[in-house]
Amino acid sequence: MAIRNPTIKFTQIFIDNIWHNSISGKKFAVINPTNGEKIAEVQEGDKADVDKAVTAAKNAFKIGSTWRTLDASAKGVLLNNLATLVDRDANYLASLESLDNGKTFSDALFDVQITASTFRYYAGWCDKIHGKTIPADGNVFSFTRNEPVGVCGQIIPWNYPILMAAWKIGPALACGCTMILKPAEQTPLTALYLASLVKEAGFPPGVVNVVPGFGTTAGAAISSHPEIDKVAFTGSVEVGKIIEETAARSNIKRVTLELGGKSPIVIFPDADLDLAVEIATNGCFANHGQCCCAATRTFVHEDIYEKFVEKATHVAMQRKVGDPFDPTTVQGPQIDQEQMDRIMSLIESGKKEGAKLKCGGKQIGTKGFFVEPTVFADVKDNMRIAKEEIFGPVMQIMKFKSLEEVLERANNSNYGLAAGVVTNNINTALMFAQGIKSGSVWVNIYDYVTPQTPFGGFKQSGHGRENGEDSLMEYLEVKTVTVKIPQKNA
């Protein structure tokens, strides 16, 4: 059950399993996007606090430490403990997420449930990460060890705060790393509460540290820190490029980037039209359009184009926008004024460049950051709304004639995070899946991501993978050990 005004329990920096004030004494306000009012003030970490957290993480990672000597299976028990605590406090965490982020309570509760599932998934991996024996030439015995990469900096976004924390924490801990987590300054509250659960679950001091702050200070300190071995970032392409450059200039640390997208969804004429509209509109408008893999480029075959536009417009107009704690609401506010202004600017560009506005296109009210679900038809590939990531509830519908044509157009993008296709023809689906340049392809479904399935992008949508077995290698180093022996026998 939703808690409309959840008590804010933690607003400090979490280092070494202890709550600290910022060294600078600074705080920053966390704003409720529903009304623009302050929720709480949070301690503002910067370079000095990151340095302190790195020291704690390094100590926790030392040879002979409690964490390094803990059995792998015991690490799995701790991750399972954390999952159980997340389940226990699911209603509170979801309420906190709705308050802080503006997403509907039902969506927030789903995110919290998947967070617990993610921790359980990685708990199962803890004692299954191992090396190999190698039949090397000569009288030697060779084997590999998969060792934790070390101290990790984890920088997470504001659109799925607690879930993105789990995507970073789960594999890092399963591999035996330690970390400094920096939540987005817009949405730090669930990450801080999660830190309290890390301690309650029994993790040793210094294994998980949480430093709230701004990207230009705390985030920059993480990406440039010479004693951080790996950084994982989810966010914009622009910031991702800065992080990669900074990581290279500092100590060539390992980098995983999950960046933006301008994902296509392609509707073929043999598809069930009502189902196609449902899949496409949900793929575009989910999480208020604030989703890196949102299906914002909707390509519809010319034979069904007009009917699709009519039905999609009707569905968009029926979406209720408002209070995220109201169970009938399907779309809450955008995250902040800056994001809303960007959305409105791109909507205006669509109008000016000749796209046909079918519905929406306006801000709702003067309190909070609400935008009407918006549908554009007759969109051309060279329009800004067809090229730039809007990160808002704006659907662009384009017309196509053939598979070959739509593949070429869909691939004509700097992004390559995800794609979808709706068709009843398996040959069409498989030809599309092999031809599209994206990290995920969904057939007759969209944005179906689970802890077991790897997620990440091609091109400027980033590199590396999160979730699934593939994510583990992002947090491991392979060490080869070769021992001279008197005689080798098969």
Side-chain angles (χ1 to χ4, degrees):
M1 181 178 293
I3 307 166
R4 181 169 286 275
N5 294 299
T7 303
I8 310 304
K9 299 179 181 180
F10 302 104
T11 60
Q12 293 175 287
I13 297 168
F14 185 77
I15 298 174
D16 242 351
N17 280 8
I18 299 170
W19 296 102
H20 303 259
N21 288 334
S22 63
I23 292 172
S24 69
K26 292 181 181 179
K27 300 178 183 178
F28 65 94
V30 178
I31 303 301
N32 182 346
T34 302
N35 55 27
E37 297 174 359
K38 183 170 72 175
I39 300 171
E41 286 192 334
V42 171
Q43 295 291 321
E44 181 185 333
D46 58 21
K47 184 180 183 302
D49 303 285
V50 169
D51 288 344
K52 187 175 179 179
V54 170
T55 298
K58 281 183 61 184
N59 287 337
F61 192 71
K62 282 181 178 178
I63 293 291
S65 69
T66 301
W67 178 242
R68 290 296 297 275
T69 58
L70 194 65
D71 286 341
S73 60
K75 291 184 174 76
V77 170
L78 294 180
L79 271 169
N80 267 317
N81 290 348
L82 182 57
T84 299
L85 293 172
V86 169
D87 278 337
R88 182 196 69 187
D89 295 344
N91 284 332
Y92 173 79
L93 280 163
S95 299
L96 201 59
E97 195 89 312
S98 288
L99 179 70
D100 200 10
N101 169 275
K103 66 175 66 191
T104 65
F105 175 77
S106 60
D107 284 352
L109 186 60
F110 178 77
D111 289 355
V112 171
Q113 291 165 345
I114 299 301
T115 294
S117 297
T118 299
F119 290 141
R120 287 198 175 91
Y121 172 77
Y122 284 109
W125 269 111
C126 288
D127 58 1
K128 299 168 187 67
I129 299 168
H130 52 76
K132 303 173 182 177
T133 58
I134 302 168
D137 293 345
N139 289 325
V140 294
F141 173 63
S142 292
F143 64 95
T144 59
R145 285 169 50 91
N146 284 345
E147 298 185 354
V149 71
V151 176
C152 301
Q154 316 274 52
I155 304 173
I156 61 174
W158 47 258
N159 57 335
Y160 291 92
I162 192 167
L163 186 55
M164 293 300 99
W167 282 20
K168 302 291 189 288
I169 292 171
L173 295 184
C175 293
C177 298
T178 61
M179 75 187 68
I180 300 93
L181 179 78
K182 192 203 86 66
E185 60 267 25
Q186 296 92 338
T187 54
L189 298 181
T190 48
L192 292 172
Y193 189 80
L194 195 59
S196 74
L197 300 185
V198 165
K199 181 177 180 179
E200 187 178 349
F203 285 91
V207 173
V208 176
N209 307 277
V210 180
V211 180
F214 292 88
T216 53
T217 51
I222 288 171
S223 60
S224 65
H225 204 289
E227 295 179 301
I228 289 179
D229 302 294
K230 181 253 168 71
V231 63
F233 170 74
T234 299
S236 70
V237 172
E238 293 75 18
V239 175
K241 289 179 178 180
I242 293 170
I243 287 174
E244 184 134 57
E245 180 180 359
T246 305
R249 288 182 182 277
S250 55
N251 60 340
I252 319 184
K253 60 174 64 64
R254 184 93 64 88
V255 178
T256 301
L257 300 173
E258 195 268 277
L259 307 177
K262 191 68 180 174
S263 299
I265 184 166
V266 179
I267 315 298
F268 282 90
D270 63 333
D272 180 288
L273 191 58
D274 290 333
L275 177 63
V277 168
E278 179 185 350
I279 292 170
T281 52
N282 286 340
C284 178
F285 295 124
N287 204 46
H288 325 165
Q290 297 174 152
C291 181
C292 53
C293 59
T296 55
R297 288 190 295 155
T298 306
F299 291 94
V300 180
H301 193 274
E302 61 182 3
D303 290 352
I304 58 171
Y305 185 83
E306 298 301 332
K307 288 183 179 179
F308 182 94
V309 169
E310 180 184 351
K311 286 179 176 288
T313 301
H314 175 74
V315 169
M317 292 175 68
Q318 302 307 307
R319 292 179 65 84
K320 181 178 177 181
V321 182
D323 176 10
F325 287 98
D326 182 339
T328 64
T329 295
V330 296
Q331 180 181 311
Q334 309 310 128
I335 189 64
D336 58 19
Q337 184 72 48
E338 180 182 358
Q339 183 61 24
M340 184 176 71
D341 289 345
R342 172 173 169 74
I343 294 165
M344 297 309 300
S345 172
L346 281 161
I347 288 173
E348 288 305 309
S349 81
K351 295 177 187 177
K352 290 178 182 178
E353 291 182 338
K356 187 173 182 180
L357 181 66
K358 300 296 292 184
C359 69
K362 299 185 183 71
Q363 179 181 347
I364 300 174
T366 57
K367 193 174 185 180
F369 313 118
F370 296 92
V371 175
E372 291 178 335
T374 300
V375 175
F376 279 106
D378 300 337
V379 177
K380 307 302 179 186
D381 293 4
N382 62 350
M383 294 178 179
R384 283 185 65 199
I385 57 172
K387 296 189 296 183
E388 297 181 27
E389 186 176 34
I390 300 174
F391 230 61
V394 184
M395 186 180 210
Q396 304 98 64
I397 310 178
M398 288 95 93
K399 189 184 295 184
F400 77 94
K401 293 182 179 181
S402 69
L403 172 62
E404 295 74 19
E405 171 210 332
V406 78
L407 268 174
E408 183 176 351
R409 291 169 64 192
N411 282 329
N412 185 24
S413 171
N414 292 329
Y415 299 108
L417 189 57
V421 57
V422 186
T423 177
N424 287 322
N425 187 318
I426 188 64
N427 292 327
T428 300
L430 292 176
M431 289 296 289
F432 179 84
Q434 74 177 10
I436 195 71
K437 297 175 182 176
S438 66
S440 293
V441 183
W442 294 294
V443 180
N444 296 333
I445 197 169
Y446 198 83
D447 196 14
Y448 195 83
V449 181
T450 73
Q452 300 85 5
T453 53
F455 184 82
F458 288 17
K459 299 186 279 188
Q460 291 190 38
S461 288
H463 52 71
R465 291 296 178 267
E466 298 189 293
N467 291 341
E469 182 178 0
D470 297 83
S471 66
L472 298 171
M473 292 309 300
E474 309 293 344
Y475 293 91
L476 293 170
E477 295 281 14
V478 178
K479 177 184 287 183
T480 302
V481 181
T482 299
V483 182
K484 174 70 174 175
I485 57 176
Q487 184 181 68
K488 181 179 68 182
N489 290 278

